[in-house]
Amino acid sequence: VLHKAMKGIGTDEDAILMLLSSRSNKQRQEVKAAYKKTYGKDLVSALKSELGGLFEMLIVALMTPPISYDASLLNKALKGVGTDDDVLIEILASRTCAQIKEIVKVYKKEYGGKLEKDIVGDTSGHFQKLLVILLQVNKRKKGVDEDRIEKDAEELFAAGQGKVGTDEEKLINILGNRSHEHLRLVFDAFKKLYGNDIEESIEGETTGNLENLMLAVVKCAKSVPAYFAEALYGSMRRAGTDEKTLMRIMVSRSEEDMLDIRACFKKMYGVSLYNTIQVEWTSLSLFNSTLSFICSGEDGPP
């Protein structure tokens, strides 16, 4: 079907869209291998030669294995002039320990360098330190330490609201070295003890990329789907849609927790993610349709 869609003059983009967006990533890799064996060509290269613009970027992203896709996003965020802090924050705050381990391995294999070294070379200060700690998944405490819940809540307060100035080191140590399960209980204890959410404390005590990273860690500890629902809403509600963020999240979460993200989006904003994408991208039918298929999944349009 794909060969026929790309053969001769013109390209049947609808056939490509329908086939690839309705398969899992594992199935796409099997199709890619079968295409190479049958036609002697690399499928991704063939698709690139036939497509263009946002639709090409989205299709190539869908054809990339998930861990390789994360590694490629991090590499692009770090290489060249400037650093895309938003990508570093999103991936390192939201991925599981097992996923981060695999990302580090694949990054080294595909780009010939150590992810930690590249991050250290492109970032600085407390922001850099927390990013590096998030990479140290082998050192992160597992499960819940009942004896430390209230102590951690008290130390978070003492490091921020409870003193003049901010003890960023203490905040980083707790947020970066505890499990999500443990942090959720710490945040509950914090609110019970001091009457406000930990997010308010972070917003009042930190700024810039460190604040954004800490808030991402907190939000992902509370609910990864809610974190991504908020990010998707923001990507479509700021001045000019942020198509790169929208694409990155839709592709990376399509087989992880898209149904949960959809439910959170509807609960948080009173509208469906599916319909919001339809409204935002009416002028880009192929891009729009592909994102809509990803959003629908096996559950169908909400």
Side-chain angles (χ1 to χ4, degrees):
V1 171
L2 290 170
H3 180 70
K4 184 178 178 182
M6 295 185 284
K7 191 171 73 171
I9 298 172
T11 305
D12 188 347
E13 286 103 344
D14 288 332
I16 293 171
L17 181 159
M18 292 293 291
L19 191 142
L20 294 180
S21 62
S22 60
R23 302 293 187 270
S24 69
N25 193 278
K26 184 176 183 294
Q27 290 171 328
R28 291 183 207 116
Q29 302 315 311
E30 292 170 350
V31 170
K32 179 181 175 182
Y35 188 93
K36 181 71 175 283
K37 184 177 180 181
T38 305
Y39 300 106
K41 300 176 183 177
D42 177 67
L43 177 55
V44 174
S45 297
L47 288 166
K48 284 181 177 180
S49 69
E50 295 290 329
L51 308 175
L54 287 172
F55 183 54
E56 176 193 336
M57 291 172 63
L58 182 51
I59 291 297
V60 170
L62 288 171
M63 289 301 303
T64 308
I67 297 297
S68 292
Y69 183 58
D70 278 348
S72 71
L73 290 170
L74 289 167
N75 180 253
K76 289 175 185 174
L78 292 164
K79 74 177 184 180
V81 179
T83 306
D84 191 336
D85 292 338
D86 290 342
V87 172
L88 300 182
I89 290 168
E90 179 187 301
I91 293 176
L92 295 185
S94 68
R95 301 317 190 244
T96 65
C97 290
Q99 287 170 332
I100 290 176
K101 277 186 182 179
E102 289 303 309
I103 290 168
V104 169
K105 289 179 184 177
V106 170
Y107 187 94
K108 186 174 183 180
K109 181 180 178 182
E110 296 188 0
Y111 302 104
K114 291 185 177 181
L115 179 55
E116 181 179 331
K117 183 179 178 181
D118 289 349
I119 286 175
V120 169
D122 259 45
T123 58
S124 61
H126 292 106
F127 177 63
Q128 177 196 95
K129 184 165 186 178
L130 183 51
L131 288 173
V132 170
I133 287 175
L134 292 173
L135 282 175
Q136 310 302 311
V137 291
N138 290 328
K139 299 178 182 178
R140 194 176 304 174
K141 293 182 180 179
K142 298 179 176 65
V144 175
D145 183 347
E146 296 286 350
D147 295 333
R148 281 222 58 91
I149 293 171
E150 193 164 308
K151 289 179 183 177
D152 282 345
E154 291 170 350
E155 288 184 11
L156 285 173
F157 180 80
Q161 290 174 270
K163 61 174 293 184
V164 177
T166 306
D167 185 349
E168 290 91 353
E169 296 282 342
K170 180 61 70 176
L171 295 174
I172 287 169
N173 182 57
I174 294 174
L175 294 177
N177 287 302
R178 306 289 191 270
S179 70
H180 282 182
E181 296 87 351
H182 181 85
L183 285 174
R184 282 195 290 273
L185 295 173
V186 171
F187 301 152
D188 288 342
F190 186 96
K191 186 165 186 177
K192 185 177 180 180
L193 287 168
Y194 305 111
N196 62 295
D197 291 320
I198 186 65
E199 292 96 324
E200 295 174 55
S201 178
I202 290 171
E203 288 168 352
E205 297 294 327
T206 59
T207 58
N209 51 19
L210 177 62
E211 176 187 345
N212 294 335
L213 178 54
M214 286 186 174
L215 288 174
V217 171
V218 169
K219 290 173 182 178
C220 286
K222 289 185 173 183
S223 170
V224 171
Y227 168 74
F228 281 114
E230 182 181 346
L232 285 169
Y233 185 80
S235 75
M236 293 183 282
R237 283 294 175 267
R238 56 180 67 119
T241 302
D242 183 351
E243 66 270 4
K244 288 185 179 179
T245 297
L246 178 61
M247 186 192 315
R248 184 174 69 241
I249 296 173
M250 295 298 293
V251 170
S252 65
R253 308 313 294 183
S254 60
E255 295 177 45
E256 285 283 334
D257 49 8
M258 185 52 66
L259 294 181
D260 293 330
I261 291 170
R262 275 173 35 180
C264 287
F265 194 96
K266 185 70 176 287
K267 183 178 180 180
M268 292 163 71
Y269 303 109
V271 293
S272 79
L273 175 59
Y274 181 89
N275 288 335
T276 304
I277 290 172
Q278 290 282 333
V279 170
E280 285 294 318
W281 293 99
T282 51
S283 62
L284 292 169
S285 58
L286 288 169
F287 187 70
N288 170 296
S289 299
T290 311
L291 288 176
S292 297
F293 269 105
I294 295 170
C295 181
S296 299
E298 296 178 1
D299 197 45

